[in-house]
Amino acid sequence: MKYDLAVIGSGPGGYVAAIRAAQLKMKVAIIERYSTLGGTCLNVGCIPSKALLDSSELYLQAEKHFGVHGIGVSSLKLDWDTMRGRKDKVVEDNVKGVAFLMKKNKIDVHTGHATLLGSGKIAIAAGDGKHTEIEAANVIIATGSKPADLPFAKLDKERIISSTEALALKSVPKELVIIGAGVIGCEMGSVFARLGTKVRIVEYLNSAIPTMDGTMGKELGKSLKNIGIELYLGHKVKSVESKGKKAKVVCETPSGEDIELTGDYCLMAVGRRPYTDKLGLENVKISTDQRGFIKVNENLETAQPGIFAIGDVIGGAMLAHKAEEEGVFVAERLAGQKPHINYRAIPWVVYTWPEVAGVGYTEEELKQVGREYKVGSFPYKALGRARAANESEGVVKVLADKKNDEVLGVHIFGARAADMIAEAVVALEFRASAEDIARMSHAHPTFTEAMKEACLSATENRAIHL
Ligand code: FAD
Ligand code: NAI
């Protein structure tokens, strides 16, 4: 079988690349080692985690916050099997949706593990022992990533688990220790804390979500504590052990003492590693960096002409929408177009409640690069819509160039931040000034008015409602 393009991996990078290439009239094959399409994102990542985040937040609202609206709940019951079952059904519907899209776009789906054999040849080993070979003029590697662990603490998938196992636990744990207060730690920690688990998160650095804007980490830290999560910031993990039905974590406090934390499970959320196992990189001229990420040039092409790589396997922001942009980029380049990706305008979101979202430079990065900036901010508590919704916890922070007012970064902590950040992405892509946004009409009463007010505050410190 000879194709114009073969895509290895059906995550958001791979399947979106395949669809775009098919739209551009290429004959496309996609190869996936698992029986369902959609990769990490649809099967064990974005989609199942958001399903549980939404369900658990509803439970918390019913338990703690319905009262202020005058809604009484007399016998609130948590049915974990149903909650988990709903999550599984959401995943099933989504992966079926991708299979439908493959059919619709006439993309051949090959199920099995792909190995590069060189010169456009790919071997596919199916689970039933069947072996096929296909040929393609171009190849996109979109093999994604797997959970990372620590050299002294390997995942046993029983008590020392990754997000994959955490998303499929048979019952809600009584106690959970999480290593890493990054995105997975904060999101999965929130799911279980809302359902009654005693959650303790150990983080090496001094803030939750430490790579994001500092204000966001501080605000999120406070709100995690409000739902009962204990944060052990600045703590160094020394050992993680599985002991019968418990996991035991020893860590060193900032003052140098050792403390022991025990949970039914220890969830390792210390990042993800690129996945290139048995991909046959040695058969082609493709090299990886020290951490195993595939090296690519500005066109996302590897050292082997005609073989491209996208998504988590090349590093950068490990986000589904970043992988998608890269998939579209390669497909369009192969069709002779001249696409462009503005990596600075790729937003990120943490789906806790309140949510955190950001795009562009953080304040720490602006300081680091020595760019002169001004800050505008607006608190949710001054916002009518937020008060009406009983969602007054939050802030919008706008960073703009001190001289020409160009929006350089926007960071939002608060209800609906995930959706609100889209406006900031448009601002960055069109190189809007804070005043441009401030002069646009924002519907009243909406959460987006906080964005307008923060831009007014950045412009001449002239927010109206503050
Ligand atoms: P993947 O989605 O990892 O897909 C790679 C695919 O390639 C896999 O299906 C794999 O089986 C297949 N494959 C690998 N090797 C081979 C081979 N040799 N042959 C055949 N097939 C192969 N990102 C967001 O943007 N928003 C979120 O809310 C979000 N939530 C997340 C929650 C969790 C718990 C996790 C773990 C991740 C989350 N992410 C989120 C990150 C997101 O899932 C990844 O960035 C995204 O899936 C990367 O896409 P990809 O296409 O590069 O790779
Ligand atoms: P992460 O990189 O977000 O966070 C890892 C955290 O672990 C960091 O805060 C780090 O300082 C800490 N850490 C590392 N080693 C440690 C140690 N020895 N002791 C204590 N703390 C330690 O990685 P995470 O949360 O595992 O997520 C992996 C990837 O998945 C991320 O890159 C993220 O982009 C993606 N993802 C995205 C989501 C979203 O977009 N909402 C949701 C979940 C995951």
Side-chain angles (χ1 to χ4, degrees):
M1 277 174 276
K2 178 106 190 174
Y3 292 96
D4 297 319
L5 175 67
V7 181
I8 306 177
S10 71
Y15 87 74
V16 169
I19 292 174
R20 186 70 189 114
Q23 286 175 342
L24 292 163
K25 311 282 179 248
M26 287 176 232
K27 185 170 163 47
V28 185
I30 191 160
I31 309 145
E32 171 55 57
R33 59 200 289 270
Y34 289 119
S35 57
T36 56
L37 303 176
T40 303
C41 174
L42 269 65
N43 291 280
V44 291
C46 324
I47 298 301
S49 59
K50 265 78 262 181
L52 288 182
L53 277 155
D54 285 346
S55 295
S56 59
E57 179 57 21
L58 284 175
Y59 178 79
L60 183 82
Q61 288 284 335
E63 189 187 31
K64 300 258 166 75
H65 305 301
F66 276 11
V68 294
H69 296 279
I71 305 169
V73 182
S74 57
S75 59
L76 187 67
K77 188 172 147 270
L78 173 65
D79 177 352
W80 174 245
D81 286 344
T82 300
M83 196 179 277
R84 213 167 43 116
R86 189 191 81 92
K87 178 255 312 174
D88 292 339
K89 177 79 174 65
V90 172
V91 169
E92 191 187 321
D93 289 349
N94 273 277
V95 299
K96 276 188 187 154
V98 177
F100 163 78
L101 290 173
M102 295 301 105
K103 223 177 237 163
K104 182 183 164 210
N105 286 284
K106 299 188 176 47
I107 296 163
D108 285 353
V109 176
H110 298 267
T111 305
H113 188 101
T115 304
L116 296 160
L117 299 175
S119 61
K121 278 208 183 92
I122 300 170
I124 304 167
D128 59 5
K130 210 175 119 206
H131 185 97
T132 36
E133 266 183 34
I134 62 167
E135 260 184 78
N138 291 290
V139 176
I140 297 180
I141 300 172
T143 51
S145 63
K146 291 276 179 202
D149 48 21
L150 297 171
F152 54 86
K154 298 284 171 208
L155 295 166
D156 64 13
K157 300 190 182 180
E158 295 283 334
R159 295 289 146 193
I160 307 173
I161 60 173
S162 74
S163 52
T164 305
E165 293 74 45
L167 286 164
L169 289 178
K170 295 273 184 291
S171 58
V172 175
K174 286 204 167 57
E175 292 185 302
L176 175 66
V177 181
I178 301 179
I179 304 185
V183 202
I184 291 181
C186 294
E187 288 188 0
M188 294 308 297
S190 294
V191 166
F192 289 110
R194 291 165 184 169
L195 302 180
T197 304
K198 178 76 228 161
V199 175
R200 301 183 180 92
I201 308 184
V202 184
E203 166 60 50
Y204 185 69
L205 298 172
N206 288 319
S207 161
I209 48 167
T211 53
M212 299 183 192
D213 188 274
T215 309
M216 300 294 110
K218 255 185 231 143
E219 295 297 327
L220 180 62
K222 278 190 259 171
S223 96
L224 293 176
K225 282 182 195 155
N226 286 342
I227 58 165
I229 295 180
E230 283 175 18
L231 278 176
Y232 293 79
L233 300 177
H235 281 61
K236 188 175 159 200
V237 176
K238 291 175 97 174
S239 69
V240 182
E241 253 183 282
S242 187
K243 278 211 158 170
K245 293 198 163 171
K246 296 277 170 195
K248 195 181 89 178
V249 176
V250 175
C251 50
E252 191 182 310
T253 67
S255 55
E257 301 150 51
D258 282 356
I259 56 165
E260 191 180 300
L261 304 171
T262 308
D264 301 308
Y265 301 94
C266 170
L267 165 59
M268 300 281 278
V270 294
R272 293 178 61 85
R273 62 171 177 86
Y275 182 73
T276 54
D277 293 7
K278 296 192 190 117
L279 184 57
L281 292 184
E282 63 288 355
N283 301 331
V284 283
K285 281 188 250 148
I286 297 180
S287 52
T288 57
D289 69 12
Q290 277 177 334
R291 296 166 63 204
F293 291 106
I294 291 181
K295 287 191 201 165
V296 289
N297 65 16
E298 68 281 7
N299 296 326
L300 305 181
E301 193 166 18
T302 65
Q304 178 78 38
I307 302 189
F308 299 79
I310 61 170
D312 281 10
V313 78
I314 62 167
M318 287 175 135
L319 296 172
H321 43 287
K322 176 259 193 189
E324 289 183 24
E325 294 306 325
E326 290 177 339
V328 169
F329 175 92
V330 173
E332 291 184 349
R333 276 197 68 87
L334 287 174
Q337 300 184 359
K338 292 197 164 42
H340 171 73
I341 300 175
N342 179 0
Y343 283 96
R344 201 38 98 181
I346 291 181
W348 58 89
V349 176
V350 188
Y351 295 84
T352 47
W353 197 264
E355 294 168 333
V356 186
V359 65
Y361 285 93
T362 64
E363 190 166 358
E364 292 72 22
E365 283 173 333
L366 289 175
K367 281 187 183 139
Q368 211 169 37
V369 298
R371 181 117 175 222
E372 284 196 291
Y373 66 93
K374 50 190 180 163
V375 184
S377 68
F378 191 78
Y380 271 40
K381 62 176 186 283
L383 196 67
R385 187 71 186 86
R387 279 199 224 109
N390 195 37
E391 292 289 357
S392 303
E393 188 185 1
V395 63
V396 175
K397 173 173 172 181
V398 171
L399 302 165
D401 188 282
K402 196 164 187 179
K403 290 194 193 89
N404 66 13
D405 199 35
E406 180 179 346
V407 177
L408 300 174
V410 176
H411 306 279
I412 308 174
F413 169 75
R416 306 190 194 179
D419 298 296
M420 281 166 63
I421 203 66
E423 181 181 13
V425 174
V426 175
L428 256 79
E429 284 284 12
F430 284 82
R431 301 194 63 184
S433 66
E435 188 175 358
D436 287 332
I437 308 292
R439 288 195 178 277
M440 286 178 200
S441 175
H442 287 66
H444 174 77
T446 60
F447 287 87
T448 65
E449 287 171 287
M451 175 72 177
K452 177 184 172 101
E453 292 273 10
C455 286
L456 277 167
S457 150
T459 306
E460 281 166 3
N461 198 17
R462 58 184 173 93
I464 302 282
H465 294 90
L466 206 57

